[in-house]
Amino acid sequence: MSAPSYHTPVERHLTSSEEVRVPMASRPQLKYPAGGTNLEEQRTRWERKRVRTVKELIETEQRYFEQLELVAVYFIEILTAKGTLRPEERDAIFCTFKSIHSINRMLLSDLEDGKLGQGFERFCPQLHLYTTYTDNMEHALKVLQEQIKKNKQFARFKKLQESRAEFHGLKLEDLLPLPLRRIYQYKHLLRDLTENTNPDHPEFQQLKSAVRVISEASQHIQDQARRQENHLQVLRVQKLLKGRRSKVLAAGRQYIREGWLTTVPSKGEETKHRMFFLFSDLLLMTKPCHPLHPVHSDKLVWQRAYPLVEGRVEKVFGHTRSQGGLISLTFPEEKLLVMSNDQEDINNWYRCLSAAIGRLQSRATVTQRRDNLARRPLRPAQDSTQTNTDSPIPKAGSKRYLSDQPREEPSASGYTENHCTEPKQMKLMPHPTLRPEDSGPNSQQAGNSCIIL
């Protein structure tokens, strides 16, 4: 159906040879609205996407719950009944898995009944079970491997259960991380569902709130997964190094990359191939052990560690004949030249080094400014006294202060303030002619005089 045409009364009666001349500044810019069917078509497309997303959400939830059921029934319940594992070992491996299985049973029931908003509204307050499970995942896998090695009965039981047809070749190690992946899927499915839901829909606010809560949980899971992956990488490098004194495990240290580079000596010596490990705060240079070493032939020897916070990296041009590249690293105690024949590899090294050094130095600058502000000494008392002395406001009792005061009529005692401006030191004392019994409030004020000391 074609869109209806809209014309002004003047244009309706014009022929093709006629023309209405209207100044461009005053000529109205007419916007012809699209046909009413366009909005309906857009809504229809949104509805189709929403139906498709709901279908995908329910189908993936059914498969996810079936896999949760495998672990809950064939492992947790049977291990609890048989006592193959002690309770603390079983809890360390499965943690909150049983509780996750229970809340997802209710969520699947709500989704299959079409109660999406209500289902996630009841599901989101239980997300702490997922975050607790995520934080325990590294420890769970460690305890699982220990039990497989030490507990032969558990190892046979695990192998027997994994051979069932229901597992489709999956192992327990493959099923345990499923809750972590599912939260990530929830975030994207709910986001698509919310984007294709009319804001006037009764479930829109519930779905929007669920997207926010699940996104926060997903971010926590991703951060925890990155920390675990980083810890495994640093631990792997630690095991590659020979000697107990070679320690790279440190709090907050992040693994970035590693690779072979060629060091270029400054005195014309032969180049040497070295293995470099780049961390967030450290550049580690190692060399391989002797291949005939009886124990450590496959390990590396720690040579030098360069702190990046004090370093500077630069590219050196014209020394590799357009093959690869050369990088200059400057540290307080040494200058290092490294080379690679792979242009892309040396560019990646340069980018990673520049980014790591820049982050460290900017952080150090901010910390130094904060410390300087916190350690700024308070102004001493003598400085404030000196400041008050240097100020143009005269002190009370000084000669300048007395001379600047307005002249008054002589007091009853016959003394004027003019008599008190000449001496540099003075003291107010009672008038010698007054007796103590005659002194009163008024007489004390009138009987004071200036005595030159």
Side-chain angles (χ1 to χ4, degrees), residues 234-235 237-239 241 245-251 253 279 282 284 302:
V234 177
L235 188 61
V237 176
Q238 181 65 65
K239 293 180 179 179
L241 298 176
R245 297 183 179 180
S246 304
K247 300 294 182 182
V248 294
L249 287 171
R253 178 168 292 168
F279 300 95
L282 191 72
L284 177 63
W302 179 304

Side-chain angles (χ1 to χ4, degrees), residues 307-338:
L308 297 181
V309 70
E310 302 175 352
R312 189 174 73 253
V313 58
E314 297 175 346
K315 266 187 176 181
V316 182
F317 300 95
H319 293 276
T320 56
R321 298 179 182 179
S322 300
Q323 297 179 1
L326 186 67
I327 293 178
S328 172
L329 292 164
T330 305
F331 299 97
E333 298 180 358
E334 185 177 351
K335 185 174 182 179
L336 185 65
L337 293 175
V338 294

Side-chain angles (χ1 to χ4, degrees), residues 35-200:
T37 57
N38 288 346
L39 182 57
E40 295 177 0
E41 290 176 359
Q42 181 65 35
R43 289 178 177 175
T44 304
R45 285 196 296 268
W46 287 344
E47 186 62 26
R48 284 200 301 265
K49 290 181 181 179
R50 187 177 190 276
V51 171
R52 186 166 57 248
T53 305
V54 171
K55 182 181 179 181
E56 182 182 359
L57 176 61
I58 296 176
E59 291 177 352
T60 54
E61 184 67 22
Q62 291 171 345
R63 289 196 298 268
Y64 171 60
F65 182 75
E66 290 174 359
Q67 293 173 331
L68 293 180
E69 192 88 1
L70 294 177
V71 179
V73 173
Y74 291 103
F75 277 95
I76 299 178
E77 294 181 1
I78 298 179
L79 286 173
T80 304
K82 295 180 63 175
T84 307
L85 292 175
R86 291 181 297 178
E88 58 271 17
E89 295 168 348
R90 186 179 65 250
D91 294 341
I93 295 175
F94 300 103
C95 192
T96 59
F97 196 97
K98 188 68 175 176
S99 300
I100 291 174
H101 172 257
S102 299
I103 64 173
N104 277 90
R105 183 196 302 275
M106 294 187 295
L107 176 62
L108 178 60
S109 177
D110 290 333
L111 295 181
E112 290 176 340
D113 293 341
K115 303 175 182 177
L116 280 70
Q118 178 181 342
F120 280 102
E121 190 176 27
R122 295 197 299 175
F123 174 77
C124 287
Q126 308 298 326
L127 280 175
H128 63 90
L129 299 172
Y130 275 84
T131 56
T132 303
Y133 185 81
T134 302
D135 297 339
N136 184 69
M137 177 55 62
E138 183 179 1
H139 179 61
L141 296 177
K142 181 179 179 181
V143 175
L144 177 61
Q145 296 302 322
E146 291 176 354
Q147 292 302 313
I148 293 174
K149 294 179 180 179
K150 297 179 180 179
N151 193 337
K152 300 301 180 182
Q153 184 181 1
F154 171 72
R156 288 194 299 269
F157 170 79
K158 175 178 176 292
K159 188 175 181 180
L160 177 64
Q161 299 298 84
E162 292 171 350
S163 63
R164 293 175 176 270
E166 296 89 342
F167 282 79
H168 301 287
L170 295 174
K171 296 184 178 181
L172 182 59
E173 293 88 336
D174 302 324
L175 297 173
L176 288 179
L178 285 178
L180 282 64
R181 302 170 191 160
R182 187 56 181 168
I183 290 293
Y184 185 75
Q185 294 173 353
Y186 283 148
K187 182 181 73 171
H188 291 279
L189 288 172
L190 282 177
R191 185 175 295 171
D192 294 343
L193 184 61
T194 306
E195 290 176 353
N196 294 284
T197 300
N198 193 325
D200 298 331

